[in-house]
Amino acid sequence: MSASEPARPEETDPAASWDDVRDLPPSAKLVAKVLEYNDTLTQSQLAEETLLPPRTVRYALNRLEEVDVVASRYSFSDARKRLYTLDIE
């Protein structure tokens, strides 16, 4: 790199994403932790793992998606279901 080239910005710190999670409700924190330990889960699997009502899990997932720490995609085996993964490294 020459002296005239600007330095590339540092990679985003994963702790910064967890800082965003820290301000969320306890249900969202629990869902994030469960997704951290389990690679990919559906909403119903998250409800089973967290022992939270499906409505609360749905709210938590929406809050996590607002701060961009959860990624979702449709299931190939059942297009009615969405698969959720934690997007924090």
Side-chain angles (χ1 to χ4, degrees):
M1 176 160 86
S2 70
S4 63
E5 287 182 37
R8 282 189 235 159
E10 294 288 323
E11 292 290 323
T12 54
D13 186 359
S17 295
W18 278 111
D19 286 342
D20 294 337
V21 173
R22 186 180 312 149
D23 297 332
L24 296 178
S27 59
K29 293 176 192 174
L30 178 59
V31 168
K33 270 300 185 189
V34 169
L35 283 172
E36 181 182 24
Y37 292 112
N38 298 290
D39 207 22
T40 302
L41 294 174
T42 64
Q43 182 181 329
S44 59
Q45 290 170 325
L46 279 165
E48 276 182 35
E49 288 290 322
T50 60
L51 302 177
L52 294 171
R55 181 177 177 178
T56 304
V57 172
R58 194 166 44 249
Y59 173 74
L61 287 168
N62 286 335
R63 295 297 304 268
L64 290 166
E65 285 179 330
E66 285 174 7
V67 294
D68 292 326
V69 295
V70 168
S72 67
R73 62 180 172 80
Y74 288 103
S75 170
F76 291 121
S77 61
D78 187 352
R80 296 171 296 175
K81 295 181 181 180
R82 295 186 69 78
L83 299 172
Y84 296 92
T85 55
L86 192 64
D87 206 11
I88 298 175
E89 295 181 17

